[in-house]
Every structure is written in structure tokens, then in C-alpha cells.
């Protein structure tokens, strides 16, 4: 069965520092991978997605993610974090079925220090 | 274009009471989903629908019922609320999987925070 692991429950970075959030997936075929962000009290917003092709995916708000099949990873990166990036980040994998169902990781809560 | 909206935003129930959460989308999406979000557990799928008049169980369906009488609306019902159903509930919608086989993006509503005492 498909699964997603986000090893880091909570991460704190300084404003202006680089960021990498880890995501590992378990899936038999080529996965459909997503990163969503949830600001406090808000719904989930799509940051980026990978379906196929170029393994480095660009998203909104200056985020990017790299799909590495050999490591079963889809880590999210940002070169310089802004205070407004403080939020919870969820990685998800599509189940590959006809219903577009997603399997979510447990999330990583990002705090940004001034 | 409001996207996905949810009603109500907050609700407090007593054990045994019933209620219905409403999800509406104006994007003409075929597929709709209900999730619950609990601390440390991410989002878990409760029920979903691939079209008007059709529903199916997700990962955690017990204690919930759903209906999709209109394409734009997806209702989540709790017949007899329990404290274990205290959670934040999210609705999402998407287009069908493309003819090329790509899973499509799910668009989320703002959530309903439910507390069951």
C-alpha cells in the first residue's frame, strides 16, 4: 500500500536561511507527488506537484522540489525563508487509481525565527 | 469564483447530537472528498464521490454518512456525534483523472472545526 513519511514533525529556521523539508514515499509505480501548505486556521494550498518529466519541479512562493526515484524522496526546498513561510507543510502521493485519492504525510510544522 | 466553501466554520456539539457539514464548489468538479485532520496524523479520507449520486468509503468512514445530490454540493453527516469525532474537517474537489492518466489536483476548502463534548 502507498504511504508517505515526513520524518520531521517540527523545524525551526532563521529568516533568510535555506530550507529543506523531507518527504519519503512508498509506491510501486511512478508516483504522483504533491506538496501542500497550510497556514494557521486556513485550508490547504497547493505548492507544487510532480507527475512526470523533469525531476526538479518549481512551485509557487519560491519553492521547488526534487523527485529522486532511487531514494523514494520528494524533498521541498526554498533558498531563503521569509517569516510568512511559517506554516504546516504536507507531502502527499496520489494513489494511482481513477478517483484521484491522495495519501498524506503527517506534516511538518515550520517556525521561522527573526 | 469562490472555489470550495464549507459551512459552518466552527461548531460545538454534545455527545449524541447530529449535524451536517456542507461543502460547495463552483469549479464544476466531478470529484469531491471529505477529510478529517487530527494532530500528528495528517489528513485522512472519510468519504468521497466521483459524481452526482455516487459516494464511496475512504479510510475512516465509521460514524459518518455522506450525500451528493447535486454536483456542486457534498454533505457530511454525523448521526450521533462522539468525542472521538472532534477534529477539523476539510472538503476538497478535483476534476477526473485525465485521459492521459494524470491524477489531478485537489482544491481544498477552509475547514470546519468541530468539537464534541
Amino acid at each position: 500500500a502507498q504511504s508517505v513519511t515526513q520524518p520531521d514533525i517540527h523545524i525551526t529556521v532563521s529568516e533568510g536561511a535555506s530550507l529543506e523539508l523531507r518527504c519519503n514515499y512508498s509506491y510501486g509505480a511512478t508516483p504522483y507527488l504533491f506538496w501542500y501548505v497550510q497556514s494557521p486556521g486556513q485550508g490547504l494550498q497547493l505548492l507544487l506537484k510532480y507527475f512526470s518529466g523533469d525531476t526538479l519541479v518549481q512551485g509557487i512562493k519560491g519553492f521547488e522540489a526534487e523527485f529522486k526515484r532511487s531514494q523514494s524522496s520528494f524533498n521541498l526546498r526554498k533558498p531563503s525563508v521569509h517569516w510568512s513561510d511559517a506554516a504546516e507543510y504536507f507531502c502527499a502521493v496520489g494513489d494511482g487509481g481513477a478517483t484521484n485519492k491522495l495519501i498524506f504525510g503527517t506534516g511538518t510544522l515550520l517556525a521561522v525565527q527573526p | 469564483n469562490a472555489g470550495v466553501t464549507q459551512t459552518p466554520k466552527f461548531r460545538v456539539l454534545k455527545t449524541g447530537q447530529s449535524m451536517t457539514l456542507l461543502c460547495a464548489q463552483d469549479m464544476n468538479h466531478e470529484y469531491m472528498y471529505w477529510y478529517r485532520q487530527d494532530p500528528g496524523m495528517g489528513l485522512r479520507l472519510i468519504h468521497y464521490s466521483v459524481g452526482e449520486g455516487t459516494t464511496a468509503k475512504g479510510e475512516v468512514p465509521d460514524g459518518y454518512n455522506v450525500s451528493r445530490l447535486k454536483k456542486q454540493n457534498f454533505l457530511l453527516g454525523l448521526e450521533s456525534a462522539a468525542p472521538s469525532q472532534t477534529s477539523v474537517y476539510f472538503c476538497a474537489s478535483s476534476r477526473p483523472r485525465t485521459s492521459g492518466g494524470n491524477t489531478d489536483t485537489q482544491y481544498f476548502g477552509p475547514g470546519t472545526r468541530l468539537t464534541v463534548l
Side-chain angles (χ1 to χ4, degrees), chain B residues 2 4 11 17 21 28 35-37 40 53 59 70 72 74 76 78 80 84 89 91 93-94 106 116:
Chain B
V4 180
R11 185 72 185 269
Q17 287 185 316
L21 307 183
N28 202 34
Y35 294 88
R36 60 177 290 171
Q37 182 184 29
E59 180 185 355
K70 294 182 179 181
Q72 64 268 34
F74 194 28
L76 177 71
L78 287 72
S80 180
S84 61
Y89 292 87
C91 176
S93 70
S94 78
Q106 289 188 21
V116 183

Side-chain angles (χ1 to χ4, degrees), chain A residues 32 36 38 49 51 96 99-100, chain B residues 33 95 97 101 103 105-106:
Chain A
Y32 304 128
Y36 283 88
Q38 183 182 28
K49 59 188 178 183
F51 287 169
T99 56
N100 289 348
Chain B
Y33 313 82
R95 292 176 297 211
R97 192 171 181 178
T103 294
T105 302
Q106 289 188 21

Side-chain angles (χ1 to χ4, degrees), chain A residues 44-64:
Chain A
L44 277 73
Q45 180 183 22
L46 180 70
L47 282 175
L48 48 81
K49 59 188 178 183
Y50 171 79
F51 287 169
S52 63
D54 193 346
T55 57
L56 186 61
V57 180
Q58 302 298 320
I60 62 171
K61 303 185 179 185
F63 285 92
E64 67 178 26

Side-chain angles (χ1 to χ4, degrees), chain A residues 32 34 36 38 41-46 49 51-52 88 90 94-107, chain B residues 31 33 35 37 40-43 45 48 50 57 90 94-97 100-111:
Chain A
Y32 304 128
F34 303 80
Y36 283 88
Q38 183 182 28
Q42 304 296 314
L44 277 73
Q45 180 183 22
L46 180 70
K49 59 188 178 183
F51 287 169
S52 63
E88 190 157 21
F90 292 95
D95 75 343
T99 56
N100 289 348
K101 286 188 288 182
L102 295 178
I103 296 130
F104 283 87
T106 52
Chain B
Y31 294 0
Y33 313 82
Y35 294 88
Q37 182 184 29
M41 302 189 74
L43 278 77
L45 184 64
Y48 63 98
V50 298
K57 295 180 180 180
F90 287 99
S94 78
R95 292 176 297 211
R97 192 171 181 178
N102 285 337
T103 294
D104 208 343
T105 302
Q106 289 188 21
Y107 295 86
F108 284 81

